[in-house]
């Protein structure tokens, strides 16, 4: 494996070589400091002072060069502006074309400058990590805290990069004015919503967003969806993506996600009553709810494989199967058959196309829109999760048409059947199948970008991410990064579960265990809520629906708070551990130990558990997207599928636990289902501590 220092040197722009941070020198100094402290010839505090001064000098060198280059770009733009003004009285098409190309050339040089900053950021982050690792000292925290907010901080200059913003604005405005507007020159300030279709400007904006991490909430949601983001592409790659992009098709994928989540949770408030009306025990609701998850374990695999060849056909199949499943679910009441009810839910699970929805966003949405699309995926899921129980509680009526019964038990099935029929018609009219030829042609270009994967792997992260970087630094002659091990072949998709499993490092397995745990705990809380609240508090279906809808409505606000604030104040692994502990506390508070069992205890403990699990899910998937091998970003057995399977299996086991615990009686149901949740949660906490302590 090529050492990072060598990769850094190869990546540098030759004429700018003297202005990069001297990673090799700083690495050598770290080794010298370690040797001097070991033999007692150097004081630790003096080492911190010397190393801080060296870093300050290196960063200052980078920043001063950055300002100098910004000045040169500004001078070039000023000269081009003079030419632009001269063309205003008598526009000449050939001169306008030349001027437009000249502005684009400035944009390409600005893009080079942004990559210069990004490469220095990666080197700086790695040397800070190396220092922390060698000395066991949180130097990174000290250095960032003392430099980032100081009025004369060079780091602050890089973070704010006011000069770069001005250059981007000047290039965008002039290119916009030079577009063919049939003689009318429109200003970007008069029409801020008017898109500028220029690949250079798009690439610059993407680079600036990655450098500043200015889209924290969207980035957090995008990682929550576990849709792997590609590295910054060349302009030609954006053009290929634009050819495949069709907004209405994306909207149909998000609608599929929303409707499926509504379909999953719309039956939760009434599943126990429906089971009782068919002669089964109330706790059979666990099987009724979980049947959908059982089928999803299978459907996720074949939908993921099917999406290698088509997106339209899987969505059509999904809609038809879900339509049939909901019809069977509704007819079970008049047929008085619990078997038909379960078959209906199994059919609904077989129609789960979430793997296709994820894959479409990953493969067919341009990079400039992918983060928003990924955030939309999570938002659609959260909205569906909230709307499902609310809609189920709202459908409180009872009437018959011919021999068909429409009541609170069957209406969820009838309503969702109509919804899927309408969706199917909309799908057939509006969906546009992406060209597979274009997708295949884009793969070789992708492989070129992969060559520098280990270097650019951190571009999505802030300039100074904490010492808990997801990549292991090379120590001596080689790197220890788990994800870099597979980056050389990252353009090759895995076609078997076994080969995909081999790529799961210990940290990835721990993240999947955490995901399993939180999905298990959430499913226990949601699926047994109607039985528990009816037994202890005599809640009506409407009250249960309101409670579940309120829980679902916390998802987006919690993600906003975590994405915009908490993730900037604490390290991801700190949030991860704190969230696991809070989930554990929520589970402990939910146990029925003292009588009477009160509504405040149940609601507060459930809220703590659910909110903590939501925070945990976002941070966990954010970490998972960074430590997972890039080979798992494509193919049938991709990272999204593996995480989906882990969560789905957890839901299946949780729903099965509810049904089995029902044999103990409703009085023991709560504690019997919470005990496995507690044990799994404690196991995940121990695994997290052990894994990350051994890695770091």
């Amino acid at each position: 494996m090529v050492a990072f220092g060598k990769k850094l040197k190869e990546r540098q722009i030759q004429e700018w070589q003297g202005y990069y941070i001297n990673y090799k020198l700083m690495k050598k100094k770290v080794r010298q400091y370690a040797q001097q402290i070991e033999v007692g010839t150097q004081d630790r505090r003096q080492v911190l002072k010397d190393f801080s001064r060296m870093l300050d000098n290196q960063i200052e060198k980078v920043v001063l060069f950055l300002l100098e280059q910004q000045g040169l770009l500004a001078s070039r733009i000023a000269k081009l502006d003079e030419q632009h003004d001269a063309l205003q009285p008598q526009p000449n098409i050939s001169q306008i074309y030349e001027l437009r190309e000249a502005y684009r050339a400035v944009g390409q040089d600005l893009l080079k400058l942004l990559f210069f900053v990004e490469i220095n950021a990666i080197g700086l982050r790695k040397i800070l990590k190396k220092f922390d690792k060698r000395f066991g000292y949180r130097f990174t925290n000290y250095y960032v805290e003392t430099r980032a907010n100081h009025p004369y901080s060079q780091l602050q200059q890089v973070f704010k990069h006011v000069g770069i913003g001005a250059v981007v604005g000047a290039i965008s405005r002039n290119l916009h004015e030079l577009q063919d507007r049939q003689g009318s020159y429109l200003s970007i300030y008069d029409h801020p919503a008017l898109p500028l279709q220029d690949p250079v400007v798009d690439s610059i904006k993407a680079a600036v967003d990655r450098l500043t991490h200015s889209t924290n909430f969207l980035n957090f949601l995008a990682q929550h969806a576990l849709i792997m983001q590609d590295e910054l592409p060349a302009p030609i790659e954006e053009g290929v993506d634009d050819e495949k992009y069709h907004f209405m098709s994306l909207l149909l994928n998000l609608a599929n996600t929303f409707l499926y989540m509504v379909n999953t949770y719309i039956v939760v408030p009434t599943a126990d009553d429906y089971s009782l009306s068919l002669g089964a025990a109330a706790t059979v609701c666990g099987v009724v709810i979980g049947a959908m998850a059982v089928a999803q374990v299978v459907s996720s695999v074949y939908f993921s494989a099917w999406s290698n060849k088509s997106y339209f056909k899987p969505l059509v199949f999904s809609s038809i199967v879900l339509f049939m499943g909901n019809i069977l679910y509704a007819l079970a009441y008049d047929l008085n058959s619990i078997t038909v009810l379960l078959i209906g839910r199994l059919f609904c699970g077989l129609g789960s196309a979430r793997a296709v929805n994820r894959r479409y966003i990953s493969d067919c949405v341009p990079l400039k829109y992918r983060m928003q699309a990924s955030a939309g995926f999570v938002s659609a899921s959260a909205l569906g999760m909230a709307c499902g129980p609310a809609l189920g509680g709202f459908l409180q009526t009872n009437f018959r048409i011919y021999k068909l019964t429409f009541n609170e038990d069957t209406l969820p099935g009838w309503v969702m059947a109509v919804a899927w029929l309408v969706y199917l018609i909309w799908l057939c009219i509006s969906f546009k199948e992406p060209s597979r030829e274009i997708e295949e042609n884009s793969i070789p270009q992708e492989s070129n970008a992969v060559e520098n994967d280990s270097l650019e792997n951190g571009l999505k992260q802030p300039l100074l991410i904490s010492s808990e970087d997801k990549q292991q630094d090379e120590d001596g002659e080689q790197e220890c990064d788990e994800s870099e091990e597979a980056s050389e072949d990252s353009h090759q998709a895995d076609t078997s579960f076994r080969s995909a499993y081999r790529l799961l490092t210990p940290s990835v397995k721990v993240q999947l265990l955490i995901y399993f745990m939180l999905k298990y705990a959430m499913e226990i809380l949601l699926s047994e809520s109607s039985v528990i609240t009816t037994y202890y508090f005599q809640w009506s279906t409407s009250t249960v629906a309101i409670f579940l809808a309120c829980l679902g409505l916390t998802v987006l606000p919690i993600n906003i708070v975590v994405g915009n604030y908490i993730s900037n104040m604490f390290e991801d692994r700190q949030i991860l551990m704190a969230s696991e502990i809070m989930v554990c506390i929520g589970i402990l508070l939910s146990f029925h130990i003292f009588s009477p069992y009160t509504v405040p205890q149940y609601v507060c403990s459930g809220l703590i558990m659910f909110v903590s699990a939501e925070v945990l899910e976002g941070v966990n998937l954010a970490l998972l997207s960074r430590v997972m091998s890039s080979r798992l970003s494509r193919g049938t057995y991709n990272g999204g599928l593996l995480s989906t399977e882990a969560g789905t299996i957890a839901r299946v086991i949780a729903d099965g636990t509810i049904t089995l615990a029902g044999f103990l009686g409703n009085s023991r149901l709560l504690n019997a289902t919470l005990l496995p949740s507690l044990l799994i949660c404690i196991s995940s906490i121990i695994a997290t501590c052990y894994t990350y302590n051994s890695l770091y």
Side-chain angles (χ1 to χ4, degrees), residues 10 116 656:
E10 292 172 353
F116 166 81

Side-chain angles (χ1 to χ4, degrees), residues 199-443:
V200 173
V201 175
D202 292 337
S203 296
I204 291 171
K205 288 179 179 178
V208 170
D209 281 345
R210 289 171 185 232
L211 182 62
T212 61
H213 212 58
S214 60
T215 52
N216 247 358
F217 173 52
L218 288 180
N219 192 47
F220 185 79
L221 284 183
Q223 291 171 328
H224 198 142
L226 201 64
I227 295 170
M228 301 284 191
Q229 305 290 330
D230 295 334
E231 303 303 332
L232 187 64
I236 187 172
E237 290 178 287
E238 283 292 319
V240 171
D241 273 342
D242 284 339
E243 290 181 46
K244 292 195 291 179
Y245 180 57
H246 185 239
F247 175 74
M248 187 57 70
S249 299
L250 171 62
L251 194 61
L252 282 161
N253 269 277
L254 297 180
N256 183 282
T257 299
F258 169 77
L259 286 176
Y260 185 79
M261 293 303 291
V262 172
N263 210 149
T264 301
Y265 290 100
I266 194 172
V267 305
V268 172
T270 58
D272 57 335
D273 289 337
Y274 205 168
S275 301
L276 287 170
S277 67
L278 297 180
T283 51
V284 174
C285 70
V287 175
V288 174
I289 297 170
M292 198 165 173
V294 170
Q296 190 180 340
V297 174
V298 178
S299 65
S300 295
V301 178
Y302 67 71
F303 271 117
S304 182
W306 202 350
S307 64
N308 291 326
K309 299 180 179 180
S310 174
Y311 299 101
F312 176 67
K313 292 178 182 178
L315 291 176
V316 170
F317 177 78
S318 166
S319 305
I320 294 173
V321 171
L322 280 156
F323 172 77
M324 294 171 57
N326 282 288
I327 292 292
L328 289 173
Y329 181 85
L331 289 175
Y333 187 90
D334 293 307
L335 296 174
N336 194 29
S337 173
I338 190 71
T339 303
V340 174
L341 181 72
L342 294 175
I343 292 175
R345 288 294 287 178
L346 285 170
F347 265 69
C348 290
L350 291 173
S352 171
R354 287 173 67 82
V356 179
N357 304 145
R358 276 195 177 103
R359 184 73 177 273
Y360 184 87
I361 294 173
S362 177
D363 292 354
C364 302
V365 176
L367 184 66
K368 57 188 174 184
Y369 303 128
R370 196 171 301 155
M371 189 178 292
Q372 290 90 333
S374 302
F377 177 86
V378 175
S379 300
S381 299
L383 189 59
M385 185 178 181
C387 289
L391 184 59
F394 177 75
L395 300 173
Q396 300 293 306
T397 187
N398 194 342
F399 61 92
R400 290 177 64 88
I401 298 179
Y402 297 109
K403 295 183 179 181
L404 300 178
T405 303
F406 297 84
N407 58 21
E408 63 179 21
D409 296 331
T410 63
L411 275 173
W414 293 120
V415 169
M416 291 311 303
V418 172
W420 284 112
L421 182 60
V422 172
Y423 174 81
L424 179 60
I425 296 171
W426 180 25
L427 182 70
C428 294
I429 295 173
S430 303
F431 191 86
K432 180 181 177 182
E433 181 75 82
S435 171
R436 310 305 295 188
E437 181 180 352
I438 293 174
E439 186 172 334
E440 290 169 6
N441 291 339
S442 69
I443 293 175

